[in-house]
């Protein structure tokens, strides 16, 4: 079994900052790409940012320059630092991790439970 536990969501004023964290635990042989997605009410889930095991990052155009994704391979964690938040960033944010649980097993995709981020004055 693999568990993903997210933390760090909440209510923040426009222009403020939040940091999301996600920790993976359980039966893990290796972790490949880690990332964050978000889903706003009435909209489809969208990619926010990803980071490979080698540290290469990719961001949605809407968050470039404002959000920073990072990971700690020793702790199996991924974080998303969100600065200069806007009301349109309001959404449920989901951690997404691609994990190989055993050396003989193919890589699988796992999702966190989601954490609410609300940007409002």
């Amino acid at each position: 079994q693999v568990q993903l536990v997210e933390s760090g969501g909440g209510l923040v004023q426009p222009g403020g900052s939040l940091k999301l964290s996600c920790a993976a635990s359980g039966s893990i042989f290796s972790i490949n790409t880690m990332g964050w997605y978000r889903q706003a009410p009435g909209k489809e889930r969208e990619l926010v940012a990803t980071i490979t095991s080698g540290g290469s990052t990719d961001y949605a155009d809407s968050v470039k320059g404002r959000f920073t994704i990072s990971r700690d391979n020793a702790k199996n964690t991924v974080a998303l630092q969100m600065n200069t938040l806007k009301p349109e960033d309001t959404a449920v944010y989901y951690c997404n991790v691609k994990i190989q649980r055993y050396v003989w097993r193919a890589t699988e995709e796992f999702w966190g439970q989601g954490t609410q981020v609300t940007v409002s004055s």
Side-chain angles (χ1 to χ4, degrees), residues 26-93:
S27 301
I28 298 172
F29 173 72
S30 68
I31 297 180
N32 299 323
T33 301
M34 308 180 84
W36 292 92
Y37 289 70
R38 67 186 181 187
Q39 188 166 19
K43 294 188 177 181
E44 293 188 355
R45 191 172 296 188
E46 63 175 2
L47 171 71
V48 176
T50 60
I51 184 168
T52 67
S53 57
S56 296
T57 59
D58 188 30
Y59 295 92
D61 288 343
S62 59
V63 307
K64 282 181 181 176
R66 299 188 298 122
F67 291 10
T68 302
I69 189 170
S70 61
R71 65 189 283 171
D72 185 329
N73 291 329
K75 297 181 179 179
N76 293 339
T77 59
V78 60
L80 185 69
Q81 177 67 46
M82 304 184 293
N83 298 328
T84 320
L85 282 160
K86 304 176 181 179
E88 51 263 44
D89 294 318
T90 296
V92 177
Y93 283 70

